[in-house]
Amino acid sequence: MSDRWAVIYDQPVLLNERQAGVAIEGALKQNIIAIQRLAVDTHGFTHFAMAAAKLLGFDLAPRLADLASRKLFLPHDVSVPASLEPMVERVGVSRAAREGWDGLLHLILSLKNGHGSAATIIARHGSAAKGMPVYEAGTLLGKVLRSLFLLDYLVKPVFRREVHRVLGQGESVHQLQRAIFAGRIEAKHARNLREVAATSGALTLLTNIVMAWNTAAMQKVVDREGADRFPAEHLGHIAPVAFRHINMHGKLHFPIEHYAGVAVAGRRQA
């Protein structure tokens, strides 16, 4: 059953950084299953990241904000019906993009072999890297892939629901974190990056412990009852993020009022 879930939560994410690189790095660090699709929201998307994910062997599937304003990137020599022309933005293969292709492949190979951090590399190939050959090559490929993804997203309802389902499972982790979190973080405890990372990392660790426990428990049920009772298409809609059965704060409640009479009678006999 574990190969049906797409919840990846590997490390703390600082809110002042785009999440694309962190999401991809989380996918690379897990070695249990082969990921086919990694759903992210708008904050987790860049064209360069989309190209990097594809070259790494899986698709970055973003749920994009302002969908009506998104363009389809097409070469200048590709004709489309006049009604679609307002949706099209023409792009060309620049000299820098041609020169950057080999460098882009070397970068991806380094990531596959664990010689670099996807979060760091993708962050360094943001808009500030415009004009650099590797950036131009990756961004151009990402624009083509984003256009193909957008066409699938718009015309294939099943694909669109799948993207939303996977993203929804990832977002449900936040509900689990809110249930785990207790107390408040004083200003003196979050004055620098190290303290913020320590707080976020502790919450991440506890979140992963709960999901690991849920995964093991649910897998035992599937193994005991048999896979025929739990079709793969059903398991794909279940994520190991439930928490109502977990006593988060160690509070125990005893229905003493139900046994008050027995306790009083016992004392009288004594």
Side-chain angles (χ1 to χ4, degrees):
M1 186 165 74
S2 59
D3 64 344
R4 303 298 175 187
W5 293 324
V7 177
I8 298 175
Y9 201 80
D10 182 76
Q11 60 184 2
V13 179
L14 299 181
L15 296 181
N16 63 344
E17 296 181 3
R18 276 201 172 270
Q19 299 174 7
V22 178
I24 292 174
E25 186 161 336
L28 289 175
K29 284 189 174 181
Q30 68 82 31
N31 55 7
I32 300 175
I33 59 174
I35 292 179
Q36 296 180 343
R37 186 176 299 120
L38 179 62
V40 296
D41 59 14
T42 299
H43 194 65
F45 164 78
T46 66
H47 290 117
F48 188 89
M50 199 163 199
K54 188 66 173 180
L55 293 173
L56 287 168
F58 53 90
D59 294 321
L60 196 66
R63 182 174 63 181
L64 299 172
D66 300 324
L67 193 61
S69 64
R70 301 288 174 172
K71 299 290 186 178
L72 299 176
F73 297 99
L74 295 176
H76 295 283
D77 57 350
V78 174
S79 60
V80 297
S83 58
L84 294 181
E85 194 62 44
M87 299 175 57
V88 172
E89 181 176 333
R90 302 294 176 174
V91 295
V93 182
S94 65
R95 178 179 178 180
R98 291 191 182 95
E99 294 176 348
W101 180 247
D102 287 344
L104 177 62
L105 295 182
H106 290 162
L107 183 149
I108 297 301
L109 187 59
S110 296
L111 291 178
K112 285 185 175 181
N113 292 328
H115 298 313
S117 164
T120 300
I121 289 175
I122 291 177
R124 289 181 177 177
H125 289 84
S127 57
K130 186 175 182 180
M132 295 177 59
V134 172
Y135 169 86
E136 294 296 337
T139 298
L140 180 61
L141 176 59
K143 287 181 176 181
V144 174
L145 293 172
R146 208 289 310 275
S147 298
L148 295 174
F149 166 80
L150 195 58
L151 291 173
D152 286 338
Y153 184 88
L154 293 175
V155 304
K156 297 180 179 179
V158 174
F159 176 77
R160 185 165 60 248
R161 286 195 297 268
E162 176 71 8
V163 172
H164 289 177
R165 178 187 67 80
V166 176
L167 181 61
Q169 289 184 351
E171 293 294 327
S172 65
V173 174
H174 300 312
Q175 296 180 6
L176 172 58
Q177 288 184 312
R178 283 191 289 269
I180 293 174
F181 182 79
R184 59 192 298 264
I185 302 175
E186 301 288 346
K188 63 181 179 181
H189 294 148
R191 292 179 177 176
N192 55 57
L193 184 60
R194 176 183 294 181
E195 292 176 347
V196 173
T199 301
S200 181
L203 184 58
T204 299
L205 175 61
L206 292 174
T207 302
N208 286 338
I209 290 173
V210 172
M211 290 195 294
W213 190 93
N214 283 340
T215 300
M218 297 168 74
Q219 187 67 56
K220 287 181 180 179
V221 174
V222 174
D223 294 340
R224 183 178 68 245
E225 301 294 335
D228 293 339
R229 186 173 177 181
F230 300 97
E233 58 271 20
H234 292 175
L235 294 179
H237 291 268
I238 303 174
V241 294
F243 56 84
R244 293 185 182 277
H245 59 294
I246 298 176
N247 188 348
M248 294 292 184
H249 307 300
K251 296 180 180 179
L252 301 178
H253 300 276
F254 299 95
I256 299 177
E257 64 276 7
H258 295 169
Y259 306 98
V262 176
V264 172
R267 290 187 61 185
R268 288 175 179 174
Q269 292 177 2

